[in-house]
Amino acid sequence: MRRQPPPGPASAMSERPGKPACLIIASAASAGVSAQSFLHSFTLASAAFNLQVATPGDEVQTSDITLEKLVIGKLIDFVDVNESNMRWIQDFRMKSYANPAKLESIDGARYHALLIPNCPGALTDLANSGYLARILQHFSNENKPICAVGHGVAALCCATNEDKSWVFQGYSLTGPSVYELIRQPSFASLSIIVEDFVKDSGATFSAGNEGAGLLVAGMDEEPERLKIFLSVNRMSC
C-alpha cells in the first residue's frame, strides 16, 4: 500500500520536548513492511522517544542532485494491511513525519535507540546496506539499544567489521525460521538465509514464529525505555 502524503516538511521527526531520539529503519523494497508491526512499533516507542523514520533512497546522479533527493528516502510499501490497521496507516500517511529520511544521510550519533520493525523487504535491501552497517557499528560501540522484529532481523546481517567478522558475534538472536522463509514466493532468489548467516557468524539463533525478533539492550539504558522495547518485541508481528 503506497500513498503519497501531501506536501510538507522533508523527513520531519515526531518531536516532543525532553525525549531522546529513536531511529526507526524500514525497508523500501517491494516486499514491504508489515503494517501491524510498524503500527505497534511506532505507537509503543513514541511513548518514550521522539521518532525518525528512515528508508534507503534512490541513487542520485551527479547531474540530477537536488536537496530533496539527498535527504528523502523512498516511501514505505506496507503489506498485510487490514481493517484493524488501515485507518491508522492512512492517518500516519498524512503526517509530516511519514516522509522518511534517506538512510544514506543518517548520522547514528544523533539517536539514542534503533528500531527495525518486521520488514519482509529487509532481505532485499537492508541486509546488504553499507550505510546501515555503519549505523549499527556505532550503536554497538556505544552500547545503545537495538530492537529488530521478525524479518527485520535480516537487516543486522550487514554489520560486519573490517576483518569480516560480524558485529553481533556472540549474541543470541530470535527470528523467523527457514520454514517461514520457504513460504515466501521469493525464497529461491534470497541472497541470504538469516539462520545460516547467524550460526556461521558465531552467534546463536533460535527459530520463532514470523513475529519473533531480537532485542539487544544497552547496559546503561533506563529501565523504562527498555520496557518499551520489550513491548515492541513481544507485540509486533
Side-chain angles (χ1 to χ4, degrees), residues 5-18:
S11 63
M13 182 186 296
S14 62
E15 293 191 6
R16 297 181 182 178

Side-chain angles (χ1 to χ4, degrees), residues 38-137:
F38 189 88
L39 184 161
H40 282 147
S41 299
F42 195 96
T43 302
L44 290 169
S46 64
F49 299 97
N50 288 319
L51 303 179
Q52 172 72 72
V53 180
T55 63
D58 290 313
E59 292 187 10
V60 181
Q61 302 298 325
T62 304
S63 60
D64 193 32
I65 291 179
T66 64
L67 178 60
E68 181 175 330
K69 290 183 178 180
L70 289 174
V71 300
I72 300 294
K74 296 179 182 178
L75 291 179
I76 298 172
D77 267 331
F78 289 109
V79 297
D80 299 327
V81 177
N82 54 43
E83 292 182 358
S84 67
N85 56 44
M86 181 180 297
R87 179 60 183 272
W88 188 93
I89 295 296
Q90 290 174 339
D91 290 344
F92 172 78
R93 287 292 197 198
M94 301 300 291
K95 307 295 185 182
S96 60
Y97 48 75
N99 291 299
K102 192 173 183 177
L103 178 62
E104 293 82 351
S105 69
I106 291 294
D107 177 6
R110 295 182 55 196
Y111 303 93
H112 301 79
L114 175 62
L115 175 57
I116 307 172
N118 184 13
C119 304
L123 289 160
T124 302
D125 54 5
L126 298 181
N128 305 298
S129 171
Y131 296 97
L132 176 56
R134 287 195 285 272
I135 294 172
L136 290 171
Q137 288 168 342

Side-chain angles (χ1 to χ4, degrees), residues 20-21 48-49 112-113 142-146 216-227 229:
F49 299 97
H112 301 79
E142 297 298 321
N143 209 25
K144 297 178 180 180
I146 302 169
V216 181
M219 296 299 292
D220 56 356
E221 184 68 9
E222 296 179 20
E224 291 77 10
R225 294 185 184 127
L226 286 181
K227 289 178 182 178
F229 268 30

